Amino acid sequence: MIAWAKSDPQLLNALVRPHLNGIVSYQVERVASGRSEPKIRVEESPRRPQQGQGEEFGMDILRAVAASGAAIFGQESNITTYNLARMNMLLHGMKDTEFEIYHGDTLKNEWDTLRETNPAKKPRFDAVVANPPFSYRWTPGDETSEDMRFKNHGVAPKSAADFAFLLHGFHYLKDDGVMAIILPHGVLFRGGAEARIRRKLLEDGHIDTVI
């Protein structure tokens, strides 16, 4: 599930960052075996979210963003999950006029709204939240390396599309936007193409917090 929001970045920061401060910090390490791939070591603090708080926290943010007059968008390829996502929004008090969830494949970028080729018209979002399937096997083609979502960072391997999902959301994020994504721990240390993508994200200063 990929969720997008257009709102005031100051509002989003005020809502999200107080919940993240002090939970974790991270450090970039380089292994001593001659390889220069950056690793990420996570240092946890004693203050951790309790079980069951995560979903309610997420809905609190969505309700606050919707109340501010922002537009909320989502995308999901699995028809069952797509229907559950819409039902979940309605059950939590969201009106169907306050959100739009598209049924389509994120990796294939099937949503016409996101396929705008004119950079001046490309949709960009203040916040992106994603919970993609872990280490999903996909089939990038020869043309995938020229896809604007991946061109600057590289293409995730066929065996694990984790960074493909991350780069998809990142591509549509505003310069001062905030993105949160749930990924398997392997993205912190796996080598090859993932190491190159991780290195660029780190060296460009695009990683803020690892939880």
Side-chain angles (χ1 to χ4, degrees):
M1 177 70 183
I2 306 286
W4 321 79
K6 290 185 177 181
S7 179
D8 181 353
Q10 293 182 344
L11 168 64
L12 292 169
N13 283 327
L15 287 167
V16 177
R17 292 198 182 279
H19 293 268
L20 296 182
N21 289 338
I23 293 179
V24 292
S25 60
Y26 74 91
Q27 293 184 2
V28 179
E29 296 180 335
R30 297 186 182 277
V31 295
S33 61
R35 299 168 64 190
S36 59
E37 297 142 352
K39 313 289 183 178
I40 299 178
R41 175 167 58 87
V42 179
E43 299 177 339
E44 300 185 4
S45 108
R47 186 170 74 83
R48 301 289 303 280
Q50 296 179 5
Q51 185 176 4
Q53 287 184 337
E55 180 180 356
E56 191 58 36
F57 166 56
M59 290 308 303
D60 285 344
I61 293 176
L62 288 177
R63 281 191 287 264
V65 171
S68 73
I72 298 176
F73 301 88
Q75 181 169 264
E76 173 58 51
S77 63
N78 183 289
I79 187 63
T80 301
T81 309
Y82 162 78
N83 288 323
L84 286 172
R86 289 181 52 82
M87 182 177 68
N88 197 30
M89 297 286 279
L90 295 171
L91 289 175
H92 281 82
M94 303 288 292
K95 299 177 182 178
D96 58 3
T97 56
E98 295 176 329
F99 66 90
E100 178 184 351
I101 300 178
Y102 179 80
H103 178 226
D105 192 312
T106 296
L107 297 177
K108 295 179 181 177
N109 209 16
E110 292 180 335
W111 196 357
D112 289 341
T113 299
L114 302 181
R115 294 174 64 89
E116 175 60 59
T117 57
N118 184 344
K121 296 181 179 180
K122 184 184 78 172
R124 302 188 72 193
F125 298 86
D126 298 294
V128 177
V129 180
N131 183 15
F134 286 2
S135 300
Y136 179 76
R137 296 187 67 87
W138 68 314
T139 54
D142 294 337
E143 71 284 355
T144 307
S145 60
E146 295 301 313
D147 189 311
M148 293 304 296
R149 297 172 296 168
F150 314 127
K151 192 171 184 179
N152 292 332
H153 293 82
V155 179
K158 296 180 180 180
S159 59
D162 303 308
F163 273 115
F165 284 110
L166 185 153
L167 292 174
H168 172 85
F170 182 69
H171 178 68
Y172 296 103
L173 191 67
K174 289 183 178 179
D175 291 340
D176 56 352
V178 177
M179 178 176 179
I181 183 170
I182 301 174
L183 295 174
H185 66 280
V187 300
L188 302 178
F189 56 78
R190 288 193 297 240
E194 292 181 292
R196 292 188 290 273
I197 296 172
R198 184 171 61 244
R199 174 196 294 277
K200 182 163 179 57
L201 289 169
L202 288 166
E203 291 181 345
D204 290 350
H206 293 311
I207 304 297
D208 180 75
T209 305
V210 176
I211 300 176

Short mmCIF file of all heavy atoms in Angstrom, two decimals, residues 47-103:
data_model
loop_
_atom_site.label_atom_id
_atom_site.label_comp_id
_atom_site.label_asym_id
_atom_site.label_seq_id
_atom_site.Cartn_x
_atom_site.Cartn_y
_atom_site.Cartn_z
N ARG A 47 12.38 3.95 24.64
CA ARG A 47 11.00 4.37 24.35
C ARG A 47 10.57 3.78 23.02
O ARG A 47 11.02 4.19 21.97
CB ARG A 47 10.91 5.90 24.30
CG ARG A 47 9.46 6.39 24.17
CD ARG A 47 9.40 7.89 24.36
NE ARG A 47 9.92 8.62 23.22
CZ ARG A 47 9.21 8.88 22.13
NH1 ARG A 47 7.98 8.45 22.02
NH2 ARG A 47 9.74 9.57 21.14
N ARG A 48 9.72 2.76 23.05
CA ARG A 48 9.24 2.09 21.85
C ARG A 48 7.72 2.17 21.78
O ARG A 48 7.05 2.12 22.81
CB ARG A 48 9.65 0.60 21.87
CG ARG A 48 11.13 0.35 21.95
CD ARG A 48 11.80 0.73 20.64
NE ARG A 48 11.24 0.01 19.53
CZ ARG A 48 11.55 -1.24 19.22
NH1 ARG A 48 12.42 -1.92 19.95
NH2 ARG A 48 11.00 -1.84 18.16
N PRO A 49 7.15 2.25 20.58
CA PRO A 49 5.69 2.23 20.49
C PRO A 49 5.14 0.89 20.99
O PRO A 49 5.74 -0.15 20.73
CB PRO A 49 5.43 2.38 18.97
CG PRO A 49 6.71 2.91 18.42
CD PRO A 49 7.80 2.41 19.30
N GLN A 50 4.04 0.92 21.70
CA GLN A 50 3.44 -0.31 22.20
C GLN A 50 2.64 -0.99 21.10
O GLN A 50 2.23 -0.36 20.13
CB GLN A 50 2.53 -0.01 23.39
CG GLN A 50 3.28 0.56 24.59
CD GLN A 50 2.35 0.88 25.73
OE1 GLN A 50 1.16 0.59 25.67
NE2 GLN A 50 2.88 1.46 26.78
N GLN A 51 2.43 -2.31 21.26
CA GLN A 51 1.69 -3.07 20.26
C GLN A 51 0.30 -2.49 20.08
O GLN A 51 -0.39 -2.19 21.04
CB GLN A 51 1.58 -4.53 20.70
CG GLN A 51 0.92 -5.42 19.66
CD GLN A 51 0.93 -6.87 20.10
OE1 GLN A 51 1.35 -7.18 21.19
NE2 GLN A 51 0.46 -7.74 19.23
N GLY A 52 -0.10 -2.32 18.81
CA GLY A 52 -1.42 -1.80 18.52
C GLY A 52 -1.47 -0.30 18.35
O GLY A 52 -2.47 0.23 17.87
N GLN A 53 -0.39 0.40 18.73
CA GLN A 53 -0.40 1.86 18.62
C GLN A 53 -0.13 2.33 17.20
O GLN A 53 -0.52 3.43 16.83
CB GLN A 53 0.64 2.46 19.56
CG GLN A 53 0.27 2.39 21.03
CD GLN A 53 1.29 3.08 21.91
OE1 GLN A 53 2.45 3.24 21.51
NE2 GLN A 53 0.89 3.48 23.08
N GLY A 54 0.54 1.51 16.40
CA GLY A 54 0.99 1.97 15.09
C GLY A 54 -0.14 2.34 14.16
O GLY A 54 -0.13 3.41 13.55
N GLU A 55 -1.16 1.46 14.05
CA GLU A 55 -2.27 1.75 13.14
C GLU A 55 -3.04 2.98 13.58
O GLU A 55 -3.40 3.83 12.78
CB GLU A 55 -3.21 0.54 13.06
CG GLU A 55 -4.38 0.77 12.12
CD GLU A 55 -5.31 -0.42 12.04
OE1 GLU A 55 -4.99 -1.45 12.65
OE2 GLU A 55 -6.35 -0.31 11.38
N GLU A 56 -3.29 3.09 14.89
CA GLU A 56 -4.06 4.24 15.38
C GLU A 56 -3.28 5.53 15.18
O GLU A 56 -3.86 6.57 14.84
CB GLU A 56 -4.39 4.05 16.86
CG GLU A 56 -5.40 5.06 17.40
CD GLU A 56 -6.70 5.03 16.63
OE1 GLU A 56 -7.14 3.94 16.21
OE2 GLU A 56 -7.30 6.12 16.45
N PHE A 57 -1.95 5.46 15.36
CA PHE A 57 -1.11 6.63 15.11
C PHE A 57 -1.22 7.06 13.65
O PHE A 57 -1.37 8.25 13.33
CB PHE A 57 0.33 6.30 15.48
CG PHE A 57 1.36 7.29 14.97
CD1 PHE A 57 1.27 8.62 15.27
CD2 PHE A 57 2.42 6.84 14.19
CE1 PHE A 57 2.21 9.53 14.80
CE2 PHE A 57 3.35 7.73 13.73
CZ PHE A 57 3.26 9.07 14.02
N GLY A 58 -1.19 6.07 12.75
CA GLY A 58 -1.30 6.38 11.33
C GLY A 58 -2.63 7.00 10.98
O GLY A 58 -2.71 7.97 10.21
N MET A 59 -3.71 6.48 11.55
CA MET A 59 -5.02 7.03 11.27
C MET A 59 -5.17 8.43 11.88
O MET A 59 -5.84 9.29 11.31
CB MET A 59 -6.11 6.11 11.82
CG MET A 59 -6.25 4.79 11.06
SD MET A 59 -6.45 4.98 9.26
CE MET A 59 -7.89 6.02 9.15
N ASP A 60 -4.54 8.67 13.04
CA ASP A 60 -4.56 10.01 13.63
C ASP A 60 -3.96 11.02 12.67
O ASP A 60 -4.47 12.14 12.50
CB ASP A 60 -3.79 10.03 14.95
CG ASP A 60 -4.57 9.38 16.09
OD1 ASP A 60 -5.79 9.19 15.94
OD2 ASP A 60 -3.94 9.06 17.11
N ILE A 61 -2.84 10.63 12.04
CA ILE A 61 -2.18 11.53 11.09
C ILE A 61 -3.08 11.77 9.88
O ILE A 61 -3.27 12.91 9.44
CB ILE A 61 -0.83 10.94 10.64
CG1 ILE A 61 0.15 10.92 11.82
CG2 ILE A 61 -0.25 11.75 9.49
CD1 ILE A 61 1.47 10.29 11.50
N LEU A 62 -3.68 10.70 9.34
CA LEU A 62 -4.53 10.85 8.17
C LEU A 62 -5.73 11.74 8.47
O LEU A 62 -6.11 12.58 7.66
CB LEU A 62 -5.00 9.47 7.68
CG LEU A 62 -3.95 8.60 7.00
CD1 LEU A 62 -4.53 7.24 6.65
CD2 LEU A 62 -3.40 9.28 5.75
N ARG A 63 -6.34 11.55 9.65
CA ARG A 63 -7.49 12.38 10.01
C ARG A 63 -7.08 13.85 10.14
O ARG A 63 -7.81 14.75 9.71
CB ARG A 63 -8.11 11.87 11.32
CG ARG A 63 -9.00 10.65 11.13
CD ARG A 63 -9.79 10.36 12.40
NE ARG A 63 -8.95 9.82 13.45
CZ ARG A 63 -8.80 8.53 13.69
NH1 ARG A 63 -9.44 7.64 12.95
NH2 ARG A 63 -8.02 8.11 14.67
N ALA A 64 -5.90 14.10 10.73
CA ALA A 64 -5.44 15.48 10.89
C ALA A 64 -5.13 16.11 9.54
O ALA A 64 -5.45 17.28 9.31
CB ALA A 64 -4.21 15.52 11.80
N VAL A 65 -4.52 15.32 8.65
CA VAL A 65 -4.20 15.84 7.32
C VAL A 65 -5.48 16.15 6.56
O VAL A 65 -5.62 17.19 5.91
CB VAL A 65 -3.33 14.83 6.55
CG1 VAL A 65 -3.18 15.26 5.09
CG2 VAL A 65 -1.95 14.72 7.18
N ALA A 66 -6.45 15.23 6.62
CA ALA A 66 -7.72 15.46 5.94
C ALA A 66 -8.43 16.69 6.49
O ALA A 66 -9.02 17.47 5.75
CB ALA A 66 -8.61 14.23 6.06
N ALA A 67 -8.38 16.87 7.82
CA ALA A 67 -9.03 18.03 8.44
C ALA A 67 -8.40 19.34 7.99
O ALA A 67 -9.05 20.39 8.02
CB ALA A 67 -8.96 17.90 9.96
N SER A 68 -7.14 19.28 7.57
CA SER A 68 -6.46 20.50 7.12
C SER A 68 -6.84 20.87 5.69
O SER A 68 -6.41 21.89 5.18
CB SER A 68 -4.94 20.31 7.20
OG SER A 68 -4.49 19.45 6.17
N GLY A 69 -7.65 20.01 5.04
CA GLY A 69 -8.05 20.28 3.67
C GLY A 69 -7.13 19.67 2.65
O GLY A 69 -7.23 19.97 1.45
N ALA A 70 -6.22 18.79 3.09
CA ALA A 70 -5.27 18.17 2.17
C ALA A 70 -5.93 17.08 1.35
O ALA A 70 -7.00 16.57 1.69
CB ALA A 70 -4.10 17.58 2.96
N ALA A 71 -5.29 16.71 0.26
CA ALA A 71 -5.74 15.59 -0.57
C ALA A 71 -4.95 14.35 -0.19
O ALA A 71 -3.73 14.41 -0.04
CB ALA A 71 -5.54 15.92 -2.04
N ILE A 72 -5.63 13.23 -0.03
CA ILE A 72 -4.98 11.97 0.33
C ILE A 72 -5.20 10.97 -0.80
O ILE A 72 -6.32 10.76 -1.25
CB ILE A 72 -5.56 11.41 1.65
CG1 ILE A 72 -5.29 12.39 2.79
CG2 ILE A 72 -4.95 10.04 1.96
CD1 ILE A 72 -5.91 11.98 4.11
N PHE A 73 -4.09 10.35 -1.26
CA PHE A 73 -4.15 9.38 -2.34
C PHE A 73 -3.52 8.07 -1.88
O PHE A 73 -2.65 8.06 -1.02
CB PHE A 73 -3.40 9.90 -3.57
CG PHE A 73 -3.92 11.21 -4.11
CD1 PHE A 73 -3.45 12.42 -3.63
CD2 PHE A 73 -4.89 11.22 -5.10
CE1 PHE A 73 -3.93 13.62 -4.12
CE2 PHE A 73 -5.38 12.41 -5.59
CZ PHE A 73 -4.90 13.62 -5.11
N GLY A 74 -3.95 6.96 -2.48
CA GLY A 74 -3.35 5.67 -2.18
C GLY A 74 -3.31 4.81 -3.42
O GLY A 74 -4.01 5.08 -4.41
N GLN A 75 -2.50 3.76 -3.37
CA GLN A 75 -2.40 2.84 -4.51
C GLN A 75 -2.15 1.43 -4.00
O GLN A 75 -1.32 1.23 -3.11
CB GLN A 75 -1.27 3.26 -5.45
CG GLN A 75 -1.12 2.36 -6.66
CD GLN A 75 -0.18 2.95 -7.70
OE1 GLN A 75 -0.61 3.59 -8.64
NE2 GLN A 75 1.10 2.74 -7.50
N GLU A 76 -2.87 0.45 -4.53
CA GLU A 76 -2.74 -0.94 -4.10
C GLU A 76 -3.09 -1.87 -5.26
O GLU A 76 -4.10 -1.65 -5.94
CB GLU A 76 -3.67 -1.22 -2.91
CG GLU A 76 -3.76 -2.65 -2.48
CD GLU A 76 -2.42 -3.24 -2.11
OE1 GLU A 76 -1.71 -2.62 -1.29
OE2 GLU A 76 -2.06 -4.30 -2.64
N SER A 77 -2.25 -2.89 -5.49
CA SER A 77 -2.48 -3.78 -6.63
C SER A 77 -3.36 -4.98 -6.27
O SER A 77 -4.09 -5.49 -7.13
CB SER A 77 -1.15 -4.28 -7.18
OG SER A 77 -0.45 -5.05 -6.22
N ASN A 78 -3.30 -5.44 -5.03
CA ASN A 78 -4.10 -6.59 -4.60
C ASN A 78 -5.54 -6.13 -4.38
O ASN A 78 -5.79 -5.25 -3.56
CB ASN A 78 -3.51 -7.20 -3.33
CG ASN A 78 -4.26 -8.43 -2.87
OD1 ASN A 78 -5.39 -8.34 -2.39
ND2 ASN A 78 -3.64 -9.58 -3.01
N ILE A 79 -6.49 -6.73 -5.09
CA ILE A 79 -7.87 -6.25 -5.05
C ILE A 79 -8.48 -6.39 -3.65
O ILE A 79 -9.24 -5.52 -3.20
CB ILE A 79 -8.74 -6.98 -6.10
CG1 ILE A 79 -10.14 -6.36 -6.16
CG2 ILE A 79 -8.80 -8.46 -5.82
CD1 ILE A 79 -10.16 -4.92 -6.60
N THR A 80 -8.12 -7.47 -2.93
CA THR A 80 -8.65 -7.64 -1.58
C THR A 80 -8.12 -6.57 -0.65
O THR A 80 -8.88 -5.95 0.12
CB THR A 80 -8.29 -9.04 -1.03
OG1 THR A 80 -8.84 -10.04 -1.90
CG2 THR A 80 -8.84 -9.23 0.37
N THR A 81 -6.81 -6.33 -0.71
CA THR A 81 -6.20 -5.30 0.14
C THR A 81 -6.71 -3.91 -0.25
O THR A 81 -6.91 -3.05 0.62
CB THR A 81 -4.67 -5.34 0.03
OG1 THR A 81 -4.23 -6.68 0.24
CG2 THR A 81 -4.02 -4.44 1.05
N TYR A 82 -6.92 -3.71 -1.54
CA TYR A 82 -7.47 -2.43 -2.02
C TYR A 82 -8.84 -2.16 -1.39
O TYR A 82 -9.10 -1.06 -0.88
CB TYR A 82 -7.58 -2.49 -3.54
CG TYR A 82 -8.50 -1.47 -4.17
CD1 TYR A 82 -8.10 -0.15 -4.34
CD2 TYR A 82 -9.78 -1.84 -4.61
CE1 TYR A 82 -8.95 0.79 -4.93
CE2 TYR A 82 -10.62 -0.92 -5.19
CZ TYR A 82 -10.21 0.39 -5.35
OH TYR A 82 -11.04 1.31 -5.92
N ASN A 83 -9.71 -3.17 -1.41
CA ASN A 83 -11.04 -3.00 -0.82
C ASN A 83 -10.96 -2.82 0.69
O ASN A 83 -11.71 -2.02 1.28
CB ASN A 83 -11.92 -4.20 -1.17
CG ASN A 83 -12.35 -4.19 -2.63
OD1 ASN A 83 -12.61 -3.14 -3.20
ND2 ASN A 83 -12.41 -5.36 -3.24
N LEU A 84 -10.06 -3.55 1.35
CA LEU A 84 -9.90 -3.42 2.79
C LEU A 84 -9.39 -2.02 3.16
O LEU A 84 -9.79 -1.45 4.17
CB LEU A 84 -8.93 -4.47 3.32
CG LEU A 84 -9.47 -5.91 3.39
CD1 LEU A 84 -8.35 -6.88 3.74
CD2 LEU A 84 -10.60 -6.01 4.41
N ALA A 85 -8.49 -1.48 2.33
CA ALA A 85 -7.95 -0.15 2.59
C ALA A 85 -9.06 0.90 2.53
O ALA A 85 -9.16 1.78 3.40
CB ALA A 85 -6.85 0.18 1.59
N ARG A 86 -9.90 0.80 1.52
CA ARG A 86 -11.02 1.75 1.41
C ARG A 86 -11.97 1.59 2.59
O ARG A 86 -12.42 2.58 3.18
CB ARG A 86 -11.76 1.51 0.08
CG ARG A 86 -10.99 1.95 -1.15
CD ARG A 86 -11.80 1.72 -2.41
NE ARG A 86 -13.13 2.32 -2.32
CZ ARG A 86 -13.39 3.60 -2.54
NH1 ARG A 86 -12.42 4.43 -2.86
NH2 ARG A 86 -14.63 4.06 -2.43
N MET A 87 -12.29 0.35 2.94
CA MET A 87 -13.20 0.11 4.06
C MET A 87 -12.60 0.63 5.37
O MET A 87 -13.32 1.22 6.19
CB MET A 87 -13.47 -1.40 4.17
CG MET A 87 -14.44 -1.77 5.29
SD MET A 87 -14.79 -3.54 5.32
CE MET A 87 -13.18 -4.18 5.81
N ASN A 88 -11.29 0.45 5.55
CA ASN A 88 -10.62 0.90 6.77
C ASN A 88 -10.71 2.42 6.91
O ASN A 88 -10.93 2.95 8.01
CB ASN A 88 -9.17 0.44 6.77
CG ASN A 88 -8.54 0.50 8.14
OD1 ASN A 88 -9.21 0.35 9.15
ND2 ASN A 88 -7.24 0.72 8.17
N MET A 89 -10.53 3.11 5.80
CA MET A 89 -10.63 4.57 5.83
C MET A 89 -12.04 5.00 6.25
O MET A 89 -12.22 5.88 7.10
CB MET A 89 -10.31 5.14 4.45
CG MET A 89 -8.89 4.87 3.98
SD MET A 89 -7.66 5.88 4.82
CE MET A 89 -7.80 7.40 3.88
N LEU A 90 -13.05 4.36 5.68
CA LEU A 90 -14.43 4.72 5.99
C LEU A 90 -14.78 4.39 7.43
O LEU A 90 -15.46 5.17 8.12
CB LEU A 90 -15.38 3.99 5.03
CG LEU A 90 -15.26 4.40 3.55
CD1 LEU A 90 -16.07 3.45 2.67
CD2 LEU A 90 -15.68 5.84 3.32
N LEU A 91 -14.32 3.23 7.91
CA LEU A 91 -14.61 2.83 9.28
C LEU A 91 -13.96 3.75 10.31
O LEU A 91 -14.43 3.85 11.45
CB LEU A 91 -14.15 1.39 9.52
CG LEU A 91 -14.98 0.30 8.84
CD1 LEU A 91 -14.35 -1.07 9.06
CD2 LEU A 91 -16.42 0.32 9.33
N HIS A 92 -12.87 4.42 9.90
CA HIS A 92 -12.19 5.35 10.81
C HIS A 92 -12.67 6.79 10.63
O HIS A 92 -12.01 7.73 11.06
CB HIS A 92 -10.68 5.27 10.62
CG HIS A 92 -10.06 4.08 11.30
ND1 HIS A 92 -10.05 2.82 10.72
CD2 HIS A 92 -9.46 3.95 12.50
CE1 HIS A 92 -9.44 1.99 11.54
NE2 HIS A 92 -9.08 2.64 12.62
N GLY A 93 -13.82 6.95 9.98
CA GLY A 93 -14.43 8.27 9.92
C GLY A 93 -14.02 9.12 8.74
O GLY A 93 -14.39 10.30 8.69
N MET A 94 -13.25 8.57 7.79
CA MET A 94 -12.87 9.34 6.62
C MET A 94 -14.00 9.31 5.59
O MET A 94 -14.60 8.26 5.34
CB MET A 94 -11.60 8.76 5.99
CG MET A 94 -10.41 8.70 6.94
SD MET A 94 -9.70 10.32 7.28
CE MET A 94 -9.02 10.71 5.67
N LYS A 95 -14.30 10.44 4.99
CA LYS A 95 -15.32 10.50 3.94
C LYS A 95 -14.70 10.08 2.61
O LYS A 95 -13.52 10.30 2.37
CB LYS A 95 -15.87 11.92 3.83
CG LYS A 95 -16.54 12.42 5.10
CD LYS A 95 -17.00 13.86 4.94
CE LYS A 95 -17.63 14.38 6.23
NZ LYS A 95 -18.05 15.81 6.08
N ASP A 96 -15.53 9.50 1.73
CA ASP A 96 -14.99 9.03 0.45
C ASP A 96 -14.55 10.18 -0.45
O ASP A 96 -13.85 9.97 -1.45
CB ASP A 96 -15.98 8.13 -0.28
CG ASP A 96 -17.32 8.81 -0.56
OD1 ASP A 96 -17.46 10.01 -0.24
OD2 ASP A 96 -18.21 8.14 -1.11
N THR A 97 -14.95 11.41 -0.10
CA THR A 97 -14.50 12.57 -0.85
C THR A 97 -13.15 13.09 -0.36
O THR A 97 -12.57 13.99 -0.98
CB THR A 97 -15.53 13.70 -0.73
OG1 THR A 97 -15.76 13.99 0.66
CG2 THR A 97 -16.86 13.29 -1.38
N GLU A 98 -12.65 12.52 0.75
CA GLU A 98 -11.40 12.99 1.33
C GLU A 98 -10.19 12.15 0.90
O GLU A 98 -9.07 12.46 1.28
CB GLU A 98 -11.50 12.97 2.86
CG GLU A 98 -12.52 13.95 3.41
CD GLU A 98 -12.68 13.85 4.92
OE1 GLU A 98 -12.50 12.75 5.48
OE2 GLU A 98 -12.98 14.89 5.55
N PHE A 99 -10.43 11.09 0.15
CA PHE A 99 -9.31 10.26 -0.27
C PHE A 99 -9.62 9.60 -1.61
O PHE A 99 -10.77 9.47 -2.02
CB PHE A 99 -8.99 9.18 0.77
CG PHE A 99 -10.07 8.15 0.95
CD1 PHE A 99 -10.08 6.98 0.19
CD2 PHE A 99 -11.09 8.33 1.87
CE1 PHE A 99 -11.06 6.02 0.34
CE2 PHE A 99 -12.09 7.38 2.04
CZ PHE A 99 -12.07 6.22 1.27
N GLU A 100 -8.56 9.19 -2.31
CA GLU A 100 -8.68 8.42 -3.55
C GLU A 100 -7.65 7.30 -3.52
O GLU A 100 -6.45 7.55 -3.36
CB GLU A 100 -8.43 9.31 -4.78
CG GLU A 100 -8.48 8.54 -6.09
CD GLU A 100 -8.15 9.40 -7.30
OE1 GLU A 100 -8.05 10.64 -7.14
OE2 GLU A 100 -7.99 8.84 -8.39
N ILE A 101 -8.11 6.08 -3.63
CA ILE A 101 -7.21 4.92 -3.67
C ILE A 101 -7.34 4.26 -5.03
O ILE A 101 -8.44 3.91 -5.46
CB ILE A 101 -7.53 3.91 -2.55
CG1 ILE A 101 -7.39 4.58 -1.18
CG2 ILE A 101 -6.60 2.70 -2.64
CD1 ILE A 101 -7.73 3.69 0.00
N TYR A 102 -6.21 4.10 -5.71
CA TYR A 102 -6.20 3.55 -7.06
C TYR A 102 -5.83 2.08 -7.03
O TYR A 102 -4.90 1.68 -6.31
CB TYR A 102 -5.21 4.33 -7.94
CG TYR A 102 -5.13 3.82 -9.35
CD1 TYR A 102 -6.10 4.17 -10.29
CD2 TYR A 102 -4.09 2.99 -9.76
CE1 TYR A 102 -6.04 3.71 -11.59
CE2 TYR A 102 -4.02 2.52 -11.06
CZ TYR A 102 -4.99 2.88 -11.98
OH TYR A 102 -4.92 2.42 -13.26
N HIS A 103 -6.54 1.26 -7.80
CA HIS A 103 -6.22 -0.16 -7.91
C HIS A 103 -5.27 -0.35 -9.09
O HIS A 103 -5.67 -0.28 -10.25
CB HIS A 103 -7.49 -0.99 -8.12
CG HIS A 103 -7.23 -2.45 -8.29
ND1 HIS A 103 -7.82 -3.21 -9.28
CD2 HIS A 103 -6.40 -3.28 -7.61
CE1 HIS A 103 -7.39 -4.44 -9.20
NE2 HIS A 103 -6.53 -4.51 -8.20
#
